[in-house]
Amino acid sequence: MSRKPTDRRILVFQGAAALSDFRRRKLLDELRHIAPSLSLLDAVYIHMAEVDGAWDEGDADRLAAVLGHASPSFAPERTDGLFLVTPRIGTISPWSSKATDIARLCGIDSLLRLERGIAYTLSPADARERQ
């Protein structure tokens, strides 16, 4: 059975923190050499899942469990200062190949592809102090 392109959609899941406190401070120091007023607020993994029309909530729950996080969807509170770092369009990373295979072995058959990126949220230091 062939799948129609309209049967496909992309879901974005939020994962755990992408940087340790040490790496976060190091990146912030490097960024401040370029723009002294910047403050790194957050860096989290995001997982992008290409799924077919058979995808259901049970699949979403299983995938969240496989990925190790409770909140299945990525919905940033603000988009100004949001930077997404992902593999180039048209490429499939080694992480994606392995993760997709693992998810399918866990019974998530409607998953077509899984990819990982990092969502960075930056803002001026004075804006962070007002929050």
Side-chain angles (χ1 to χ4, degrees):
M1 179 174 130
S2 66
R3 293 182 173 117
K4 298 176 188 173
T6 56
D7 291 345
R8 298 177 180 195
R9 58 189 166 131
I10 304 292
L11 305 174
V12 183
F13 296 79
Q14 181 170 329
L19 301 174
S20 66
D21 288 340
F22 172 79
R23 294 278 180 210
R24 192 175 178 166
R25 284 191 302 273
K26 184 177 178 184
L27 180 57
L28 182 56
D29 288 344
E30 291 174 11
L31 289 171
R32 284 187 174 155
H33 280 86
I34 300 166
S37 68
L38 281 183
S39 173
L40 178 63
L41 296 180
D42 209 3
V44 296
Y45 284 112
I46 55 171
H47 300 99
M48 293 135 303
E50 181 180 6
V51 300
D52 68 17
W55 183 262
D56 62 25
E57 287 304 312
D59 292 328
D61 293 341
R62 279 192 297 283
L63 183 58
V66 167
L67 294 172
H69 45 76
S71 176
S73 63
F74 175 67
E77 292 178 16
R78 36 185 286 248
T79 56
D80 57 318
L82 178 67
F83 297 90
L84 302 178
V85 179
T86 63
R88 288 188 314 259
I89 293 174
T91 62
I92 298 176
S93 71
W95 186 95
S96 175
S97 297
K98 287 288 187 187
T100 303
D101 289 346
I102 291 168
R104 286 200 180 136
L105 288 171
C106 292
I108 309 171
D109 297 325
S110 55
L111 178 72
L112 303 175
R113 179 175 170 210
L114 185 62
E115 189 58 82
R116 179 176 72 171
I118 299 177
Y120 293 93
T121 305
L122 305 173
S123 100
D126 62 337
R128 185 175 186 188
E129 292 167 5
R130 287 186 295 232
Q131 292 179 355

